[in-house]
Amino acid sequence: MNTPQDSSLGREVSYPSQYDPGLLFPIPRAAARAEIGLDDNALPFVGHDRWHAFELGWLDNRGKPCVAVATVQVPCTSPNLVESKSFKLYLNSLNSARFADAETLRTTIASDLSACAGATVQVTFGLPALRDTPLGESIDGLDVDIDCYGPPRADYLSADPSEIVEEILVSALLKSNCPVTGQPDWATVSVRYRGARIDRAGLLRYLVSYREHAEFHEQCVERIFNEVSQRCAPDVLEVEARYTRRGGLDINPWRASPGIVAPASMDRELRQ
């Protein structure tokens, strides 16, 4: 089985002592998408899941340790997402493995992750630069009362069709929980759109209503994209959540209206 409950999440596991690509655990995307009314064969968005791996080490042919950081990009059209704990265990399994050079390791990681995801995964060594300017306009300072922390309340979302705008709204208050362990996941989320002006107070209340919601990072972003699309009907929409690091990994799911091309230059938040 390939459900979260079948993975290593929430279980005591042995620290891997040798390279083992079998540690990677795929979770099919289709079931979670069906729960929110998405057809895996006719997705209303394009996108990717961008991982940053800060704890990557291996040995060269003479046994000398080497270290690097990596950026990994998994297409949202892949049949599977890569479960995060299995990803960490896999990276740890490289610590005592010998590779001729960094490029050999990079292609090995790309091949192993592609096999797990069921689609071509891009791996580069190095990280995007830290962002030093605001990603958009923060809505966190709004003077609002909030008393709902889950489940997500799509009915909070609304837009005024009498005013057409193009803007990027940002909140650092997104928090959700792992569906297996219950551990908190923290993120800065951005909503870029063109269309009827979205009610900011309603959007903030909606994002905070994920606070006790249990769902994987990628699934939360797809739910946000789908519900903003349905409730606010923007002409163009992009949603990205930049999650903070856990176990040397952070993830940045990005979903956008078909036809939008991902930015050529990515960056990271200071919280990452």
Side-chain angles (χ1 to χ4, degrees):
M1 297 291 291
N2 286 101
T3 67
Q5 289 71 26
D6 300 311
S7 73
S8 58
L9 272 173
R11 300 180 183 179
E12 184 176 345
V13 295
S14 299
Y15 186 85
S17 59
Q18 59 185 7
Y19 164 60
D20 184 3
L23 291 167
L24 290 167
F25 190 85
I27 296 179
R29 298 183 190 267
R33 287 172 170 169
E35 289 180 5
I36 58 175
L38 295 177
D39 181 354
D40 202 42
N41 296 311
L43 295 174
F45 49 68
V46 296
H48 59 244
D49 305 325
R50 176 166 52 98
W51 298 81
H52 301 140
F54 291 83
E55 300 174 4
L56 173 60
W58 71 100
L59 304 177
D60 68 14
N61 276 342
R62 299 174 63 189
K64 181 181 178 181
C66 306
V67 295
V69 291
T71 297
V72 175
Q73 191 161 295
V74 182
C76 73
T77 51
S78 65
N80 309 312
L81 60 84
V82 180
E83 190 276 309
S84 62
K85 184 175 181 179
S86 78
F87 194 177
K88 297 165 196 170
L89 291 171
Y90 165 76
L91 291 175
N92 287 334
S93 82
L94 300 169
N95 292 343
S96 299
R98 298 194 180 204
F99 293 89
D101 49 43
E103 177 60 15
T104 301
L105 174 65
R106 188 197 66 78
T107 57
T108 298
I109 295 173
S111 176
D112 292 341
L113 290 173
S114 296
C116 180
T120 300
V121 173
Q122 298 176 8
V123 178
T124 57
F125 283 178
L127 295 173
L130 286 173
R131 170 171 283 277
D132 57 5
T133 58
L135 185 61
E137 188 171 354
S138 175
I139 59 175
D140 293 344
L142 293 174
D143 186 13
V144 297
D145 294 327
I146 298 178
D147 59 8
C148 177
Y149 308 106
R153 289 281 301 274
D155 58 309
Y156 285 155
L157 296 167
S158 65
D160 181 1
S162 68
E163 190 174 4
I164 304 302
V165 300
E166 183 169 0
E167 59 184 358
I168 304 174
L169 303 179
V170 178
S171 175
L173 303 184
L174 180 64
K175 171 191 169 291
S176 55
N177 298 323
C178 172
V180 178
T181 67
Q183 289 182 297
D185 298 315
W186 306 89
T188 296
V189 61
S190 62
V191 177
R192 175 185 175 274
Y193 73 99
R194 183 176 68 243
R197 182 181 289 279
I198 293 176
D199 177 69
R200 296 184 176 191
L203 177 62
L204 182 59
R205 290 189 178 99
Y206 168 70
L207 294 174
V208 172
S209 74
Y210 279 77
R211 195 169 182 83
E212 299 301 333
H213 180 62
E215 199 167 40
F216 287 123
H217 312 72
E218 302 94 327
Q219 296 162 354
C220 286
V221 171
E222 293 186 356
R223 184 183 294 273
I224 293 170
F225 183 97
N226 192 49
E227 293 183 339
V228 170
S229 294
Q230 292 182 344
R231 293 278 178 166
C232 302
D235 298 322
V236 173
L237 177 64
E238 290 182 63
V239 176
E240 183 181 28
R242 301 182 177 197
Y243 282 86
T244 57
R245 201 183 317 171
R246 184 190 294 165
L249 282 172
D250 69 53
I251 183 173
N252 306 263
W254 173 78
R255 302 292 184 268
S257 301
I260 293 182
V261 178
S265 177
M266 298 292 186
D267 50 35
R268 294 179 290 133
E269 296 297 305
L270 289 175
R271 295 170 72 193
Q272 299 178 306

